[in-house]
Amino acid sequence: MSRPDGLLPFPFPHTDGLAPLPELADLRRNRPVVKVGLPNGSTAWLVTRNADVRKVLADPRFSRTRAPRKEEAERVPASGPRTAGRRATVLPDSILASDPPDHSRLRRLISPALTVRRTEAMRQDIAALTHDLLGAMEPAGRPADLVTHFTRPLPLTVICDLLGTSRVDADRLDAWDEVMRSVTATNAEVSGAVEEMTNHLAGLVAAKRSHPGDDMLSVLIAARDEGDRLSEGELISFCVVLLAGGYGTTADRLAGLVHLLLEQPDRYTLLRDEPDRIPNAVEELLRYAQASMGANIRVATEDVALGGITVAQGDAVLALTSSANHDESVYPAPDLLDLTRAAPLHLAFGHGAHFCVGAQLARVQLQEALRALTRLRPGLRAAGPAQWKTGRTSRAPRTLPVTW
């Protein structure tokens, strides 16, 4: 698996499905912090054990501001290796690209728009949306693609409503997100998608400023305008983050979770017969699914001891949460998907200062989606093999044919 220079290549080759990768188990046992070669010619330390991943994500000596955008580092350049640079998918004012105290300031301003109370207040509307989407699907007995009819439009519609943009904009938002999350798109394609999206969002911000609504974007605009604390760039950058995380990641995770349930029908039957298990089951599914083969990139600001080696100042570090969620020292039988397991403390939403600000919103959508599916489609089953997305560091079904 090593390259001619002796380095382990990363990311690993794309495989269909969400099952644990044996390569990661081997690394956790034998080389928990290992130097890897990236497609652009640069190198980084890959971190796979739970405690070490948590340290990288929480220790301020590992900087996000100094790190390259992960899609850039993991992307094969058109003309040979080159030094990783920041791609346009992380805008200069993005909360994803900042360290404290700037990150703390941004999070303090953004968090009131995504509190547990606010997201729980959305639960009833999200549940109603799941019913509408399932009701519009093909009649029983006819195969249908669950990605097209359910797992994609659910979070996309929720994000449109959150931003206060028309639902007719959903397809454009989806197309922009797909380009920005691709590791095979050209720089011109990515830049074009970012420019189109930011122009759209700038117009939306202007409209909301003139006519505020009861939506999250209006809340964020008020946080900026009343105290002059969020810049225009910060406001637009967070909307881009919300689209990528609140829609793209949630849609991929929902499709993956349903795939895992249908892969072994007794899993789906358990949640159908015992719906009270769904909240804990969602946490176990998130822990188990190795949905992302990308990693959280940081750069050491000084020499740091980590996993038995010394990471030198300036070295890039890749914290692989999907591996940390299968650490044998933390989770009993980690490669077993056990839906009766007590809700595990996983890292699917990150850790430390950059813990996902929209985690609760994602949880509400995943829970209500599984409740609606098991209640309204109790006989749901796979109607054929899923097709998987390629050209990305995430693993998710592109299609999920089902019948009932």
Side-chain angles (χ1 to χ4, degrees):
M1 193 174 174
S2 295
R3 309 189 317 179
D5 57 10
L7 293 178
L8 190 69
F10 187 84
F12 299 137
H14 185 277
T15 59
D16 293 345
L18 299 170
L21 297 181
E23 298 97 320
L24 295 180
D26 178 70
L27 289 177
R28 286 192 301 271
R29 284 191 300 267
N30 302 309
R31 295 186 290 172
V33 181
V34 61
K35 182 69 70 72
V36 296
L38 304 179
N40 66 0
S42 62
T43 63
W45 294 101
L46 181 66
V47 183
T48 53
R49 285 182 182 169
N50 190 284
D52 295 331
V53 168
R54 287 177 180 272
K55 180 174 180 176
V56 170
L57 298 182
D59 192 322
R61 294 175 295 177
F62 292 103
S63 169
R64 183 67 189 92
T65 300
R66 302 187 189 187
R69 177 62 170 163
K70 77 174 182 179
E71 287 89 345
E72 176 68 14
E74 293 165 356
R75 196 159 158 257
V76 179
S79 55
R82 56 187 169 82
T83 302
R86 185 161 308 208
R87 281 185 84 183
T89 42
V90 165
L91 302 176
D93 297 311
S94 174
I95 190 172
L96 294 182
S98 61
D99 290 330
D102 290 341
H103 179 273
S104 304
R105 166 183 160 271
L106 290 172
R107 194 175 182 100
R108 185 173 63 251
L109 293 172
I110 289 165
S111 293
L114 285 168
T115 61
V116 172
R117 181 178 179 180
R118 187 176 182 88
T119 52
E120 283 296 328
M122 298 173 62
R123 187 182 288 273
Q124 185 173 351
D125 289 340
I126 291 172
L129 178 58
T130 63
H131 285 227
D132 291 344
L133 291 171
L134 290 176
M137 288 178 64
E138 296 288 338
R142 294 185 181 179
D145 176 21
L146 203 65
V147 171
T148 299
H149 295 286
F150 188 70
T151 66
R152 171 186 168 271
L154 173 62
L156 187 53
T157 303
V158 169
I159 289 302
C160 285
D161 292 349
L162 263 181
L163 293 176
T165 188
S166 171
R167 292 182 179 182
V168 300
D169 293 328
D171 287 339
R172 283 198 295 165
L173 294 174
D174 177 54
W176 292 327
D177 175 74
E178 190 68 22
V179 173
M180 291 191 298
R181 284 154 55 85
S182 171
V183 296
T184 58
T186 66
N187 282 331
E189 289 171 333
V190 173
S191 297
V194 171
E195 182 178 5
E196 290 176 11
M197 176 180 283
T198 53
N199 287 340
H200 172 79
L201 291 172
L204 185 61
V205 167
K208 292 296 177 182
R209 185 172 291 114
S210 299
H211 303 285
D214 184 24
D215 53 72
M216 192 194 70
L217 185 54
S218 296
V219 172
L220 293 174
I221 290 170
R224 172 186 183 266
D225 288 349
E226 290 177 6
D228 195 26
R229 294 176 295 181
L230 274 178
S231 71
E232 191 82 0
E234 290 166 345
L235 190 59
I236 292 172
S237 290
F238 180 68
C239 291
V240 174
V241 170
L242 185 67
L243 176 71
Y247 159 57
T249 303
T250 303
D252 283 351
R253 282 179 169 166
L254 178 55
L257 267 54
V258 176
H259 165 77
L260 286 172
L261 294 178
L262 299 182
E263 188 177 44
Q264 293 188 19
D266 59 311
R267 297 170 179 166
Y268 190 84
T269 300
L270 174 67
L271 299 189
R272 180 197 67 192
D273 295 345
E274 301 181 45
D276 288 346
R277 292 190 181 275
I278 287 176
N280 275 10
V282 165
E283 302 306 311
E284 170 66 355
L285 286 160
L286 288 170
R287 179 202 69 80
Y288 176 86
Q290 295 207 321
S292 176
M293 288 298 100
N296 294 274
I297 296 186
R298 301 291 188 270
V299 169
T301 59
E302 60 182 77
D303 292 358
V304 183
L306 183 70
I309 62 98
T310 297
V311 176
Q313 179 181 357
D315 282 359
V317 180
L318 305 173
L320 194 55
T321 55
S322 57
S323 174
N325 283 336
H326 283 257
D327 192 323
E328 297 80 359
S329 68
V330 177
Y331 308 103
D335 290 350
L336 172 67
L337 176 55
D338 181 2
L339 300 183
T340 66
R341 193 194 301 261
L345 296 175
H346 57 74
L347 297 176
F349 292 115
H351 179 64
H354 284 269
F355 180 82
C356 177
V357 70
Q360 186 58 25
L361 177 61
R363 284 185 165 111
V364 169
Q365 292 182 76
L366 296 173
Q367 291 169 9
E368 292 306 318
L370 296 189
R371 284 195 177 102
L373 281 170
T374 53
R375 183 187 306 124
L376 301 179
R377 298 289 181 265
L380 191 74
R381 62 187 184 276
Q387 294 181 348
W388 292 81
K389 294 183 177 182
T390 59
R392 309 168 61 150
T393 56
S394 60
R395 299 196 294 174
R398 182 174 295 280
T399 64
L400 200 57
V402 297
T403 189
W404 59 93

